[in-house]
């Protein structure tokens, strides 16, 4: 056994769970203790300053400089009570992570004495260096200035000894360089559009809040084994590894008892989350060995997304304390379930109505039907945009496998709700409806709660499923920033609702009554969007054929999927609704293509290194031992005995030679293909080249290595194997 693998396995022997104790037996005693929430604002801010913050959050009223100074001083005083020494503007660049630059409160006073100060200017805006963050050509390298600006709707929080202030991140020219800026625009757009539609039914509704409940799946691996696998360290996934004899076949890990070390990790994670006001609620074993899930109570999308980004960072830090590494890659291990981040999405009015839940009367159910039907149309018209928002190098390994939805965007409603929509089509005519027809229709609509009660089902093969009072966007990858999908989803919904409202208004302008106008447009929308409704097995080949006949797209080619951001429909949504300008949209596409290219480039280089410097020498070493064995047999046995005894060894020697030669040849060809791609100037051409010319070598080379793993003596195999990676506790 190689030294690296031996010491990694030896370290496992002494692992014991850490003892973790919460600050109090009652979560409510410390929940939100590290968040500058409304209660603490009331305590630390003057009344006028508190009102200024509330007006900014609820009405969008700008905060003036004098109020900003008061707020900053109060925020600093609160933070000092938690022994904070630094502050940072916490933002989300296009790296799929977060960024922060810590500054101390320390300053020189008038007489050069040291004082601690935090001004409104520093709270509201800062100028970090933007030169090294992805920008998609939106600015030149010498134009390094970027601005962060306080997002007042997301509360400041404390991590360790640093006050973190959530902010947007924009360029010197005002273009967005982050996820939060367009997300806030998308949320504002759907709020406005949904409110206008709601007021067709209820004038008391003045705001609509998109809500998100994310489900974070992840793997844990012992840190020693992680360190002994350079591919995991550098790419987040295993680029080689033969499947374990036992993995998830027995489904004995799913919802099973949680290992003690993992429980200790989860316990500390939950404590830290609760201090930060993150309402994590659910934890459990997922399907694959050493795979787990964490889920919170639903929150407004912006805050929920901030919390998910913060949780992912906390998980990495806390895992290290427990001698784990946490894996967010969508497919860290071949042959077992990958990890997603299901985005449960709903729309809630300021009157407390969930627009995706049936009402208590026909009017409430008409509102429910109106939004359900518009979601159908939204997904149907924007299937390519939604796919573009979730596709990545990592997620492409997961989508379409047996634990994840396919690349075909379809909606599962459940047979009872689907049947209700079909009935609606039959009942609504093209001519004016009689009072009897309207009464019959409203009576049928009134039965919706009864129909849906205990009749909603789950379809794990559906990428976009209705689950009773929300839609679950299951195709989002575990490493993704939720904002990418939430931007596309909410912007597309805003666009669809605006189209619906215009159509209803046009009919009403022709003298058709409101209810009848709504019924007619709903009928048309249900008929047009029918191809996107699918209740069956999304994994079947039959569905792929049927989806094609329905006009649904199925794009697994990552760069091709990303280029759909630039299609006419996507531009109509993203630019038309004011989410991006031309430069910003162009830059997003370029950034995503470049990220895809660089990830494949890294994987290719790592695989080539491991193959040539680890696997080939090990194979040749074992081959030499076999050759010595064959030569020894010839000296001891008769020619006839020798031929019989050495046959299998000679075949193995030839097999190893064939695979070693194939690995060396293909690594060389892969390197040359990479060089050709790297010399292409266009980001699109480079990404296409990596997808089509470089990526196929990753699977081909892996195939040879995985066969060698089963042919070479376990004692000398250099890397920890799947049975060790998946079953270490």
């Amino acid at each position: 056994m190689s030294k690296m693998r031996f010491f990694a396995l030896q370290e496992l022997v002494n692992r014991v769970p850490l003892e973790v104790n919460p600050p109090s037996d009652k979560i409510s005693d410390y929940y939100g203790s590290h968040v500058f929430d409304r209660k603490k604002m009331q305590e630390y801010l003057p009344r006028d300053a508190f009102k200024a913050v509330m007006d900014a959050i609820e009405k969008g009223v700008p905060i003036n400089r004098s109020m900003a100074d008061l707020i900053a001083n109060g925020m600093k005083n609160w933070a000092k009570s938690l022994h904070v020494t630094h502050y940072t503007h916490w933002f989300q660049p296009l790296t799929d992570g977060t960024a922060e630059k810590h500054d101390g409160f320390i300053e020189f006073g008038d007489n050069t004495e040291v004082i601690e100060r935090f001004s409104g200017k520093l709270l509201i805006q800062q100028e970090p260096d933007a030169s090294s963050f992805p920008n998609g050509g939106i600015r030149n390298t010498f134009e390094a200035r970027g601005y962060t600006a306080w997002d007042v709707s997301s509360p400041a929080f404390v991590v360790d000894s640093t006050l973190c202030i959530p902010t947007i991140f924009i360029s010197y020219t005002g273009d967005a360089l982050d996820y939060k800026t367009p997300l806030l625009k998308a949320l504002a757009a759907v709020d406005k559009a949904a409110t206008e539609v709601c007021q067709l039914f209820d004038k008391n509704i003045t705001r609509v809040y998109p809500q998100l409940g994310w489900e974070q799946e992840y793997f844990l691996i012992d840190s020693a084994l992680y360190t002994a696998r350079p591919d995991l360290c550098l790419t987040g996934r295993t680029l080689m590894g033969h499947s374990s004899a036992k993995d998830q076949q027995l489904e004995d890990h799913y919802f099973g008892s949680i290992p003690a070390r993992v429980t200790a990790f989860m316990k500390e994670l939950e404590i830290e989350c609760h201090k930060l006001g993150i309402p994590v609620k659910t934890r459990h074993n997922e399907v694959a060995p050493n795979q787990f899930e964490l889920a919170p109570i639903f929150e407004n999308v912006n805050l929920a997304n901030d919390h998910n980004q913060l949780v992912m960072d906390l998980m990495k830090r806390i895992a290290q304390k427990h001698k784990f590494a946490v894996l967010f890659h969508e497919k860290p291990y071949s042959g077992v379930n990958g990890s997603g981040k299901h985005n449960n999405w709903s729309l809630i009015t300021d009157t407390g109505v969930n627009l995706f839940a049936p009402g208590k009367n026909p009017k409430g159910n008409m509102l429910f039907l109106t939004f359900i039907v518009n979601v159908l149309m939204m997904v149907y018209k924007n299937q390519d945009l939604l796919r573009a928002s979730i596709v990545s190098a990592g997620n492409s390994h997961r989508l379409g496998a047996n634990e994840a939805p396919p690349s075909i965007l379809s909606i599962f409603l459940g047979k009872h709700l689907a049947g209700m929509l079909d009935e609606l089509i039959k009942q609504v005519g093209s001519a004016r409806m009689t009072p009897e027809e309207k009464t019959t229709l409203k009576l049928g609509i009134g039965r919706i709660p009864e129909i849906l009660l205990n009749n909603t089902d789950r379809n794990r093969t559906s990428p976009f499923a209705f689950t009773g009072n929300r839609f679950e966007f299951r195709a989002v990858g575990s490493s993704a920033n939720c904002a990418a999908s939430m931007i596309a989803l909410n912007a597309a919904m805003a666009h669809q609702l605006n189209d619906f409202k215009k159509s209803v208004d046009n009919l009403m302008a022709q003298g058709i009554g409101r209810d009848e106008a709504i019924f007619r447009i709903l009928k048309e929308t249900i008929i047009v969007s029918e191809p996107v409704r699918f209740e069956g097995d999304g994994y079947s080949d039959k569905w792929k054929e049927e989806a094609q006949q329905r006009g649904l797209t199925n794009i697994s080619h990552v760069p091709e999927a990303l280029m759909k951001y630039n299609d006419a429909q996507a531009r109509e949504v993203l630019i038309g609704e004011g989410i991006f300008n031309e430069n910003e949209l162009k830059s997003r596409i370029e950034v995503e293509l470049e990220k895809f290219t660089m990830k494949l480039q890294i994987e290719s280089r790592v695989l080539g290194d491991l193959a040539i410097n680890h696997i080939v020498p090990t194979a040749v070493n074992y081959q030499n031992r076999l050759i010595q064995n064959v030569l020894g047999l010839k000296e001891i046995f008769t020619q006839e005995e020798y031929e019989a005894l050495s046959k299998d060894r000679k075949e193995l020697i030839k097999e190893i030679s064939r695979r070693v030669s194939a690995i060396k040849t293909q690594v060389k060809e892969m390197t040359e293909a990479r060089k050709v791609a790297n010399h292409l100037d266009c980001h699109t051409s480079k990404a296409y080249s990596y997808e089509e010319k470089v990526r196929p070598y990753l699977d081909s080379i892996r195939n040879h290595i995985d066969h060698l793993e089963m042919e070479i003596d376990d004692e000398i195999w250099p890397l920890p194997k799947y049975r060790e990676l998946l079953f270490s506790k």
Side-chain angles (χ1 to χ4, degrees):
M1 186 180 298
S2 72
K3 288 183 179 179
M4 182 165 61
R5 183 173 166 216
F6 173 79
F7 286 124
L9 293 173
Q10 277 292 103
E11 282 197 44
L12 285 172
V13 177
N14 299 319
R15 299 288 198 229
V16 294
L18 293 180
E19 185 176 347
V20 178
N21 295 308
S24 169
D25 291 336
K26 289 179 64 178
I27 294 175
S28 57
D29 287 344
Y30 60 90
Y31 187 84
S33 61
H34 285 51
V35 183
F36 195 57
D37 53 23
R38 294 193 181 199
K39 182 178 178 181
K40 299 184 186 68
M41 287 184 199
Q42 285 182 308
E43 180 180 352
Y44 282 89
L45 300 183
R47 182 174 298 177
D48 289 348
F50 175 75
K51 184 179 184 302
V53 175
M54 291 300 101
D55 286 345
I57 294 172
E58 296 170 0
K59 303 175 184 178
V61 177
I63 297 174
N64 62 42
R65 178 62 183 274
S66 61
M67 285 297 142
D69 284 336
L70 291 173
I71 295 165
N73 188 61
M75 191 182 291
K76 184 201 72 174
N77 290 338
W78 164 74
K80 294 298 291 181
S81 72
L82 294 173
H83 310 292
V84 164
T85 58
H86 289 70
Y87 64 91
T88 182
H89 272 199
W90 182 82
F91 57 100
Q92 301 170 33
L94 301 178
T95 56
D96 294 330
T98 58
E100 51 197 65
K101 176 175 70 75
H102 297 194
D103 287 304
F105 289 123
I106 184 172
E107 287 188 14
F108 280 126
D110 294 336
N111 298 315
T112 69
E113 74 277 13
V114 172
I115 60 173
E116 291 181 325
R117 178 182 293 160
F118 184 49
S119 67
K121 179 182 178 182
L122 295 175
L123 167 64
I124 289 176
Q125 181 177 305
Q126 291 188 31
E127 298 180 16
D129 186 340
S131 61
S132 295
F133 291 109
N135 62 80
I138 214 164
R139 39 153 299 284
N140 296 311
T141 303
F142 57 82
E143 296 170 336
R145 181 176 292 177
Y147 294 105
T148 52
W150 180 27
D151 172 17
V152 70
S153 65
S154 187
F157 55 90
V158 168
V159 174
D160 295 329
S161 60
T162 303
L163 171 65
C164 301
I165 302 156
T167 60
I168 63 170
F169 180 44
I170 59 175
S171 72
Y172 178 72
T173 56
D175 294 321
L177 294 173
D178 67 342
Y179 285 107
K180 184 182 277 284
T181 304
L183 177 62
L184 292 173
K185 291 179 180 179
L187 298 179
V190 79
D191 170 21
K192 181 175 181 295
T195 299
E196 290 181 356
V197 171
C198 284
Q199 289 192 344
L200 290 171
F201 304 89
D202 186 349
K203 296 295 184 183
N204 293 319
I205 296 173
T206 59
R207 291 289 303 273
V208 173
Y209 302 99
Q211 297 236 310
L212 168 64
W214 43 264
E215 302 171 26
Q216 181 68 60
E217 295 177 345
Y218 61 97
F219 282 85
L220 288 177
I221 178 174
D222 188 88
S223 56
L225 294 172
Y226 176 77
T227 304
R229 287 290 306 224
D231 49 352
L232 273 176
C233 292
L234 298 175
T235 72
R237 75 181 183 104
T238 53
L239 300 176
M240 61 190 72
H242 197 283
S243 59
S244 172
K246 178 186 182 298
D247 45 54
Q248 67 184 48
Q249 308 100 313
L250 299 178
E251 298 181 342
D252 52 348
H253 187 259
Y254 190 49
F255 280 19
S257 59
I258 302 172
R261 281 182 62 206
V262 177
T263 300
F265 158 75
M266 289 179 168
K267 189 174 181 180
E268 183 169 359
L269 174 62
E270 289 176 351
I271 291 169
E272 295 305 315
C273 284
H274 291 152
K275 288 180 182 177
L276 290 164
I278 304 172
V280 293
K281 183 178 179 67
T282 303
R283 67 188 190 196
H284 63 82
N285 288 3
E286 257 300 334
V287 176
N290 272 343
Q291 186 186 32
F292 308 94
E293 181 178 296
L294 175 75
I297 300 171
F298 288 27
E299 300 178 285
N300 288 345
V301 170
N302 182 42
L303 183 59
N305 187 60
D306 282 359
H307 280 167
N308 180 247
Q309 289 294 296
L310 185 52
V311 162
M312 292 172 75
D313 186 56
L314 283 174
M315 290 172 81
K316 292 175 186 176
R317 299 187 197 196
I318 295 170
Q320 288 180 343
K321 292 173 61 177
H322 292 261
K323 305 298 182 184
F324 282 124
V326 61
L327 305 178
F328 292 121
H329 194 285
E330 285 75 14
K331 198 75 170 177
Y333 304 109
S334 178
V336 299
N337 279 19
S339 296
K341 178 151 46 191
H342 303 173
N343 279 203
N344 294 279
W345 171 70
S346 57
L347 297 173
I348 311 295
T349 71
D350 56 353
T351 60
V353 174
N354 182 339
L355 296 172
F356 297 150
K360 297 179 180 179
N361 51 52
K363 186 175 78 170
N365 288 327
M366 272 296 295
L367 185 60
F368 163 72
L369 273 181
T370 296
F371 276 84
I372 292 293
V373 171
N374 276 286
V375 170
L376 290 174
M377 194 63 164
M378 178 272 292
V379 175
Y380 178 62
K381 287 165 56 177
N382 296 283
Q383 52 184 296
D384 289 338
L385 170 59
L386 294 177
R387 184 188 300 104
S389 75
I390 54 92
V391 76
S392 66
N395 211 20
S396 64
H397 292 289
R398 166 182 168 262
L399 292 179
N402 285 341
E403 79 288 353
S407 297
I408 304 165
L409 263 291
S410 65
I411 289 184
F412 169 82
L413 289 179
K415 63 180 180 180
H416 297 282
L417 182 55
M420 183 70 203
L421 296 186
D422 294 336
E423 282 297 314
L424 186 66
I425 294 174
K426 294 175 185 176
Q427 292 180 30
V428 178
S430 56
R432 287 186 181 274
M433 298 173 65
T434 66
E436 291 77 13
E437 287 173 328
K438 291 179 182 178
T439 300
T440 302
L441 183 59
K442 288 181 179 179
L443 287 174
I445 289 172
R447 291 180 58 243
I448 288 176
E450 175 189 339
I451 290 171
L452 292 183
L453 183 64
N454 297 323
N455 280 322
T456 53
D457 194 7
R458 297 191 71 190
N459 186 332
R460 294 183 63 83
T461 71
S462 175
F464 206 93
F466 178 68
T467 56
N469 60 1
R470 62 190 183 274
F471 283 92
E472 185 178 16
F473 195 8
R474 301 186 67 252
V476 181
S478 54
S479 68
N481 187 316
C482 297
S485 59
M486 286 294 106
I487 290 166
L489 187 58
N490 287 286
M493 189 61 178
H495 191 71
Q496 173 56 32
L497 290 172
N498 286 332
D499 284 350
F500 175 82
K501 179 67 164 48
K502 288 175 188 174
S503 298
V504 171
D505 288 345
N506 286 339
L507 288 183
M508 290 172 64
Q510 297 170 29
I512 296 173
R514 184 198 62 186
D515 287 355
E516 188 165 343
I518 292 171
F519 282 136
R520 284 197 195 180
I521 301 303
L522 286 180
K523 177 182 176 179
E524 293 174 8
T525 307
I526 293 168
I527 293 171
V528 173
S529 64
E530 188 174 7
V532 84
R533 287 161 49 193
F534 181 64
E535 307 293 313
D537 181 5
Y539 296 155
S540 68
D541 290 333
K542 184 179 178 181
W543 166 233
K544 294 178 183 177
E545 297 170 7
E546 184 181 338
Q548 187 175 13
Q549 293 171 0
R550 293 186 183 194
L552 303 181
T553 54
N554 181 14
I555 305 171
S556 56
H557 188 291
V558 176
E560 182 183 345
L562 289 171
M563 290 305 295
K564 294 298 181 180
Y565 268 125
N566 208 31
D567 276 7
Q569 176 63 25
R571 291 173 60 83
E572 191 175 320
V573 168
L574 297 175
I575 295 178
E577 295 298 330
I579 314 304
F580 296 119
N581 61 36
E582 287 279 356
N583 284 339
E584 289 171 333
L585 182 57
K586 179 182 176 183
S587 76
R588 297 282 153 153
I589 299 170
E590 190 169 309
V591 166
E592 291 303 320
L593 290 171
E594 192 172 14
K595 281 197 294 191
F596 169 77
T597 299
M598 288 190 291
K599 286 179 180 179
L600 278 192
Q601 183 185 75
I602 292 168
E603 288 188 354
S604 170
R605 294 175 68 179
V606 170
L607 180 60
D609 174 29
L610 291 177
I612 299 304
N613 294 312
H614 289 70
I615 305 306
V616 168
T618 301
V620 171
N621 182 15
Y622 184 59
Q623 186 182 49
N624 288 336
R625 284 168 51 180
L626 290 174
I627 291 171
Q628 290 300 316
N629 178 263
V630 169
L631 293 175
L633 291 175
K634 193 169 188 178
E635 294 178 2
I636 297 173
F637 296 99
T638 65
Q639 184 64 29
E640 184 178 351
E641 291 172 327
Y642 165 72
E643 292 296 337
L645 292 170
S646 64
K647 182 180 179 182
D648 61 332
R649 292 164 178 78
K650 288 179 180 178
E651 289 176 355
L652 184 53
I653 290 169
K654 290 178 182 178
E655 175 72 3
I656 291 173
S657 290
R658 183 177 72 81
R659 295 199 181 276
V660 166
S661 296
I663 290 170
K664 294 180 72 173
T665 298
Q666 290 182 21
V667 167
K668 184 176 181 181
E669 291 173 353
M670 178 177 66
T671 303
E672 291 304 313
R674 200 169 65 230
K675 289 179 179 177
V676 171
N678 290 342
H679 281 92
L680 297 173
D681 293 329
C682 172
H683 285 287
T684 306
S685 300
K686 187 179 292 187
Y688 271 73
S689 185
Y690 264 91
E691 172 71 66
E692 297 166 1
K693 303 297 184 182
V694 177
R695 191 170 192 168
Y697 282 110
L698 297 177
D699 290 334
S700 179
I701 293 169
R702 176 183 188 137
N703 180 56
H704 289 295
I705 293 174
D706 289 356
H707 275 87
L708 286 175
E709 182 182 324
M710 298 302 288
E711 294 163 348
I712 292 172
D713 187 350
D714 180 75
E715 285 294 312
I716 64 171
W717 191 254
L719 303 175
K721 297 187 174 184
Y722 267 31
R723 66 170 182 264
E724 296 154 359
L725 300 176
L726 289 170
F727 290 97
S728 62
K729 303 298 183 189

